[in-house]
């Protein structure tokens, strides 16, 4: 029965989320149960693409990614895939009318990671972030508003800003691995310039502005999504604060983290603010 396979597919996507990101899986648990599955479906798909370009170094990444593109197209066309992750994703895409433009932009940015190592202009940098992060926020927003196009249009800008902020924090947190393992530099701020206190300050100011713009939209999210998204927002702003307080050399040589106890403190703070309507 297709229904049984679909249930298995959703469980696979949920397991991918749980295994790869304790912070994101914690935030998803704070969403209304009816939308947790679709969000797992989106995360599972984007993680699958990201793993190909970032982790499978001993394999032919170009071949694997091209095969993913082909399988994705078939899944969207046929409304089924024997790959459980793609099967869940195609169902979410059709159920919530997610625009193919968002998917295409995401795949374009992921493919760029196969060969592109530097982003020399602000335009290239923004295009990559749009495809790798902003569109993921917009896919999730499609689920949060559940077909309300007016609300989607109203919150679209803030959702993109939140995606941008998350991605830029990830870039700073992963600076060491991106440079040393993947030979990538995403920030055009670092073209012909070392990562120093000045460039750090420029990047952090940019991220803080993104968070400020994103928070306006978070306050207006539907009740089903607000607690979970706010929890993720608190986690990433806390991560940014740790980066702000870290020395340049520490950022260049270590991956900045929020401890598991720290995550649960943030969850408690999120819950209190949510219940007291302080968001």
């Amino acid at each position: 029965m297709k229904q049984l396979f679909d249930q298995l597919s959703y469980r696979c996507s949920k397991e991918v989320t749980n295994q790869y990101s304790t912070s994101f899986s914690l935030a998803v648990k704070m969403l209304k149960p009816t939308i947790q599955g679709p969000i797992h479906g989106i995360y599972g798909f984007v993680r699958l693409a990201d793993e190909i370009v970032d982790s499978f170094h001993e394999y032919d990444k170009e071949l694997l990614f091209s095969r993913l593109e082909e399988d994705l197209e078939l899944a969207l066309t046929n409304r089924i895939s024997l790959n459980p992750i793609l099967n869940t994703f195609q169902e979410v895409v059709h159920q919530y009318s997610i625009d193919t433009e968002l998917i295409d932009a995401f795949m374009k940015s992921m493919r760029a990671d196969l060969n592109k190592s530097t982003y020399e202009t602000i335009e290239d940098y923004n295009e990559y972030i749009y495809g790798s992060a902003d569109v993921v926020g917009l896919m999730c927003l499609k689920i949060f508003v559940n077909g309300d196009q007016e609300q989607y249009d109203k919150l679209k800008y803030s959702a993109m800003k939140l995606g941008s902020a998350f991605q830029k924090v990830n870039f700073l947190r992963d600076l060491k691995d991106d440079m040393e393992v993947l030979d990538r530099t995403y920030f055009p701020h670092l073209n012909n310039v070392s990562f120093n206190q000045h460039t750090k300050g420029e990047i952090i100011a940019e991220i803080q502005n993104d968070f400020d713009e994103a928070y306006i939209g978070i306050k207006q999210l539907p009740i089903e999504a607000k607690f979970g998204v706010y929890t993720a927002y608190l986690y990433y702003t806390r991560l940014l604060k740790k980066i702000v307080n870290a020395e340049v050399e520490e950022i260049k040589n270590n991956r900045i983290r929020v401890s598991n106890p720290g995550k649960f403190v943030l969850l408690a703070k999120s819950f209190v603010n949510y219940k007291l309507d302080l968001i």
Side-chain angles (χ1 to χ4, degrees):
M1 291 176 62
K2 176 66 160 53
Q3 183 179 8
L4 182 61
F5 181 64
D6 288 343
Q7 291 171 354
L8 173 63
S9 297
Y10 272 100
R11 287 201 295 272
C12 288
S13 297
K14 180 179 180 180
E15 187 62 24
V16 169
T17 310
N18 292 340
Q19 289 293 322
Y20 278 97
S21 179
T22 56
S23 55
F24 188 79
S25 60
L26 185 64
V28 173
K29 287 183 175 70
M30 302 306 112
L31 300 171
K32 187 177 180 180
T34 54
I35 62 174
Q36 290 179 17
I39 296 299
H40 285 308
I42 290 175
Y43 183 89
F45 166 68
V46 300
R47 173 54 64 181
L48 184 64
D50 194 58
E51 282 302 295
I52 291 174
V53 300
D54 281 357
S55 300
F56 298 160
H57 308 306
E58 63 271 34
Y59 300 96
D60 187 336
K61 295 181 181 182
E62 181 79 34
L63 175 64
L64 290 174
F65 195 82
S66 295
R67 187 167 296 167
L68 176 64
E69 289 176 319
E70 294 168 4
D71 290 345
L72 172 62
E73 183 177 356
L74 288 172
L76 294 173
T77 300
N78 298 328
R79 293 180 175 245
I80 190 173
S81 174
L82 296 182
N83 178 328
I85 302 300
L86 291 181
N87 187 55
T88 298
F89 183 66
Q90 66 79 23
E91 184 169 296
V92 172
V93 168
H94 290 116
Q95 181 179 351
Y96 292 95
S97 301
I98 292 175
D99 300 329
T100 54
E101 182 273 328
L102 302 180
I103 304 169
D104 292 343
F106 172 75
M107 294 298 281
K108 181 180 179 181
S109 285
M110 291 299 97
R111 177 169 278 283
D113 276 338
L114 291 173
N115 303 299
K116 195 174 179 69
S117 58
T118 59
Y119 290 80
E120 298 181 355
T121 68
I122 293 294
E123 291 75 20
D124 283 350
Y125 169 67
N126 288 337
E127 182 183 9
Y128 177 83
I129 290 176
Y130 172 75
S132 65
D134 295 3
V135 299
V136 179
L138 294 177
M139 291 181 202
C140 293
L141 183 59
K142 278 283 189 178
I143 295 169
F144 297 154
V145 303
N146 194 25
D148 187 331
Q149 188 62 39
E150 182 178 349
Q151 193 173 28
Y152 176 82
D153 292 338
K154 179 182 177 182
L155 298 175
K156 180 178 178 179
Y157 178 75
S158 291
M160 291 170 61
K161 285 296 183 179
L162 189 62
S164 291
F166 286 177
Q167 184 69 300
K168 292 169 189 176
V169 170
N170 286 337
F171 288 165
L172 276 181
R173 180 185 61 179
D174 297 334
L175 197 65
K176 181 178 185 291
D177 280 351
D178 283 342
M179 287 183 169
E180 295 182 3
V181 179
L182 300 175
D183 192 28
R184 291 188 203 137
T185 305
Y186 291 107
F187 293 114
H189 316 67
L190 302 182
N191 288 337
N192 303 315
V193 179
S194 64
F195 182 67
N196 54 40
Q197 197 63 37
H198 176 70
T199 51
K200 174 191 171 186
E202 286 185 331
I203 294 167
I204 286 172
E206 181 182 308
I207 296 171
Q208 188 58 59
N209 181 69
D210 287 340
F211 273 129
D212 292 343
E213 298 282 0
Y215 185 66
I216 296 171
I218 292 173
K219 293 189 293 184
Q220 302 174 67
L221 280 171
I223 195 71
E224 294 85 353
K226 185 183 290 187
F227 184 23
V229 177
Y230 180 64
T231 299
Y233 165 85
L234 280 186
Y235 167 74
Y236 269 91
T237 52
R238 174 57 180 157
L239 195 54
L240 180 63
K241 185 176 180 180
K242 293 196 71 168
I243 292 171
V244 168
N245 293 331
E247 297 294 332
V248 167
E249 289 304 312
E250 182 182 358
I251 299 169
K252 290 168 66 174
N253 294 300
N254 297 288
R255 194 172 192 263
I256 306 298
R257 299 176 182 273
V258 176
S259 66
N260 285 336
K263 291 175 185 177
F264 285 104
V265 170
L266 291 175
L267 176 60
K269 178 181 178 181
S270 177
F271 180 75
V272 170
N273 288 346
Y274 174 74
K275 283 297 184 181
L276 294 179
D277 201 23
L278 297 177
I279 302 174

